[in-house]
């Protein structure tokens, strides 16, 4: 298992897969090697092989709590809706309130044409509050990705976005808990779903309205790819090529290999001279530098001399709603009001009522003054 992990990090995927098969042979009744193999194959874009790995685990350990839900999810992705439905129904018998499994089951029903059962399943999920919003979002995305029932997808997405935005208005930095930190990644993913539905409907300006803020806040590769496709459809060739490059820069740990190849193909079709053979921007001025610059905001001088401290900032459309000192230099601990008065260009979709949490490091020196550098969104997991 350790060898497989090292091999995969060295991008020796075939060797890593072989090592995991050896781990399974060495102890065929242990679930972990099967799960590691399936997850690795999904990351490599080898979905059919991942399905086989889960099926092998199902035969070996039929009562494993993860197998039916994970297998059902992959079968939905492969459009094998009948098989997916059976697996997901079994998973729900073990955990009837699993929102992800419920969302996948609703998607399997709807995408197979069983609208009545799909809508009934979704209606049940909407009684769960936040977990219901997740189900609505996931079904909306699945429908948009499959280019099916787009008016329904739009309605589901609107409910998910509206519900999640309303939940974010309850965030209080003085009472922040770790669970609050997932609200911002969740909201930008819901914005991305809304944009993807709008894109499929041909509403390009509306798609851009949601994707630009989602990208600038998250820097997620899939969102960069979606925004690039919108720009391409709007005939904004330069902007499209730039976003494809950003997607290439950030996607290695986020997108499976087949999705990476699709991004490279779209960029190459747009600009035959583009270099897609390696990670762009490494060792030279390029997208990596631009991504780093996106996270830095110049501030007015807060203290004399050199000091640094970490803060949480809560953004509402057009303003900093709150700031909370976390740790660092004592002389910066009273800078919360100054941070709230500073000028930040944190984007929101037009008409949004949401709130965004960002964590950052305020650094001050005599030579350069003060600035805040925000952490990448997916690196913030704790309030401490």
């Amino acid at each position: 298992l350790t060898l497989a992990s090292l091999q995969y990090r060295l991008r020796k995927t075939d060797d890593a897969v072989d090592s995991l098969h050896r781990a399974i042979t060495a102890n065929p009744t242990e679930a972990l090697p099967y799960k590691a193999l399936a997850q690795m194959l999904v990351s490599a874009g080898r979905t059919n092989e991942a399905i086989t790995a889960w099926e092998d685990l199902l035969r070996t350990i039929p009562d494993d709590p993860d197998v039916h839900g994970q297998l059902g999810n992959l079968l939905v992705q492969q459009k094998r809706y009948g098989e997916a439905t059976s697996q997901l129904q079994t998973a729900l018998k073990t955990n009837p309130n699993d929102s992800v499994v419920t969302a996948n089951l609703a998607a399997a029903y709807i995408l197979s044409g069983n609208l009545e059962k799909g809508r009934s399943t979704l209606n049940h999920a909407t009684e769960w509050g936040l977990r219901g919003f997740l189900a609505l979002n996931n079904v909306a995305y699945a429908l948009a990705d499959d280019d099916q029932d787009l008016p329904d997808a739009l309605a589901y997405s609107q409910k998910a976005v509206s519900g999640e935005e309303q939940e974010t208005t309850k965030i209080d930095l003085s009472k922040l808990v770790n669970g609050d930190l997932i609200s911002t990644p969740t909201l930008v993913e819901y914005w991305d779903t809304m944009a993807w539905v709008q894109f499929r409907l041909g509403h390009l300006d509306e798609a851009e309205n949601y994707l630009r803020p989602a990208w600038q806040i998250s820097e997620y590769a899939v969102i960069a790819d979606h925004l690039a496709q919108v720009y391409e459809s709007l005939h904004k060739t330069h902007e499209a090529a730039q976003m494809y490059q950003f997607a290439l820069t950030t996607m290695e740990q986020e997108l499976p290999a087949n999705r990476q190849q699709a991004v490279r193909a779209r960029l190459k079709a747009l600009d035959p001279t583009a270099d897609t053979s390696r990670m762009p921007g490494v060792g030279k001025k390029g997208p990596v530098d631009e991504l780093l610059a996106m996270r830095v905001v110049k501030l007015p001088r807060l203290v004399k001399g050199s000091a640094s401290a970490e803060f949480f900032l809560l953004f509402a459309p057009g303003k900093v709603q709150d700031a909370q000192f976390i740790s660092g230099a004592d002389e910066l601990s009273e800078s919360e009001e100054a941070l709230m008065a500073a000028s930040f260009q944190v984007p929101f979709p037009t008409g949004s009522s949401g709130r965004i949490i960002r964590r950052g490091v305020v650094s001050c020196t005599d030579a350069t003054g003060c600035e805040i550098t925000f952490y990448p969104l997916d690196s913030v997991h704790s309030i401490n």
Side-chain angles (χ1 to χ4, degrees):
L1 286 170
T2 303
L3 178 60
S5 175
L6 292 170
Q7 289 167 328
Y8 188 68
R9 292 187 183 190
L10 291 169
R11 302 181 189 176
K12 297 181 178 180
T13 303
D14 289 339
D15 291 343
V17 168
D18 287 342
S19 293
L20 288 172
H21 278 298
R22 291 204 303 275
I24 290 169
T25 300
N27 192 352
T29 60
E30 169 62 45
L32 179 59
Y34 294 94
K35 295 180 181 181
L37 176 61
Q39 292 165 0
M40 186 178 294
L41 290 167
V42 168
S43 296
R46 294 158 62 172
T47 306
N48 285 328
E49 293 176 68
I51 288 173
T52 299
W54 283 113
E55 289 173 338
D56 289 343
L57 176 57
L58 180 60
R59 283 189 291 270
T60 307
I61 311 175
D63 58 349
D64 183 272
D66 298 324
V67 64
H68 294 287
Q70 294 289 342
L71 182 54
N73 178 40
L74 293 180
L75 290 168
V76 170
Q77 293 178 28
Q78 295 299 95
K79 306 185 189 301
R80 294 162 58 179
Y81 302 124
E83 298 169 76
T85 298
S86 175
Q87 294 295 335
L88 295 167
Q89 287 172 334
T90 302
L92 281 182
K93 290 177 182 177
T94 302
N95 187 357
N97 294 324
D98 188 315
S99 56
V100 175
V101 171
T102 300
N104 288 329
L105 179 58
Y109 282 139
I110 292 170
L111 292 168
S112 64
N114 195 338
L115 300 182
E116 183 178 350
K117 277 195 173 181
R119 289 168 178 162
S120 173
T121 303
L122 266 186
N123 288 337
H124 173 59
T126 58
E127 300 170 2
W128 300 343
L130 288 175
R131 291 177 296 133
F133 302 151
L134 174 66
L136 288 165
N137 175 79
N138 289 3
V139 171
Y141 191 90
L143 289 171
D145 224 32
D146 210 49
D147 210 8
Q148 280 196 42
D149 301 314
L150 295 179
D152 283 347
L154 181 60
Y156 298 149
S157 180
Q158 288 170 334
K159 288 181 182 178
V161 168
S162 176
E164 184 63 30
E165 287 189 345
Q166 181 60 36
E167 286 295 321
T168 64
T169 64
K170 303 174 184 176
I171 294 171
D172 182 346
L173 291 188
S174 67
K175 302 175 182 177
L176 197 66
V177 296
N178 286 338
D180 292 328
L181 300 179
I182 196 64
S183 66
T184 297
T186 298
L187 184 55
V188 297
E189 288 172 6
Y190 288 9
W191 288 348
D192 176 58
T193 295
M194 172 70 79
W196 199 229
V197 175
Q198 298 283 15
F199 175 71
R200 293 295 200 190
L201 286 165
H203 304 160
L204 301 180
D205 290 338
E206 275 298 303
E208 183 184 3
N209 175 52
Y210 281 93
L211 283 171
R212 277 191 300 100
W215 157 249
Q216 291 178 38
I217 293 167
S218 71
E219 300 175 15
Y220 291 164
V222 67
I223 296 177
D225 178 34
H226 287 167
L227 183 54
Q229 292 183 61
V230 170
Y231 282 145
E232 193 170 354
S233 297
L234 288 168
H235 307 292
K236 297 181 178 180
T237 304
H238 173 74
E239 291 89 343
Q242 182 183 45
M243 292 311 304
Y244 282 132
Q245 290 283 9
F246 279 137
L248 287 172
T249 303
T250 59
M251 73 183 179
E252 281 215 334
Q253 300 302 318
E254 185 183 333
L255 294 181
N258 58 334
R259 292 291 299 273
Q260 296 182 30
Q261 292 166 3
V263 172
R264 290 189 171 91
R266 282 193 283 272
L267 175 58
K268 205 70 174 177
L270 191 67
D271 179 6
T273 66
D275 179 9
T276 63
S277 61
R278 57 181 171 79
M279 187 71 75
V282 176
K284 65 172 186 176
K285 185 72 174 178
V288 168
D289 306 274
E290 294 181 51
L291 287 171
L292 293 174
M294 285 169 55
R295 301 177 197 145
V296 180
V297 177
K298 190 70 176 175
L299 298 171
R301 182 168 287 282
L302 303 174
V303 296
K304 294 180 180 180
S306 298
S308 67
E310 291 192 53
F311 289 83
F312 277 117
L313 274 69
L314 180 65
F315 294 97
K319 66 178 182 179
V320 184
Q321 182 164 307
D322 197 6
Q324 186 79 30
F325 176 81
I326 303 172
S327 63
D330 289 339
E331 54 265 44
L332 282 169
S333 63
E334 303 298 324
S335 300
E336 292 164 348
E337 289 189 10
L339 285 171
M340 291 174 64
S343 176
F344 291 90
Q345 302 299 319
V346 176
F348 283 80
T350 302
S352 173
S353 61
R355 302 291 186 269
I356 295 295
I357 304 174
R358 297 302 304 269
R359 180 172 184 157
V361 179
V362 173
S363 302
C364 299
T365 67
D366 284 328
T368 61
C370 298
E371 63 184 23
I372 184 168
T373 302
F374 290 111
Y375 287 102
L377 193 61
D378 59 3
S379 69
V380 180
H381 306 292
S382 172
I383 62 173
N384 300 318

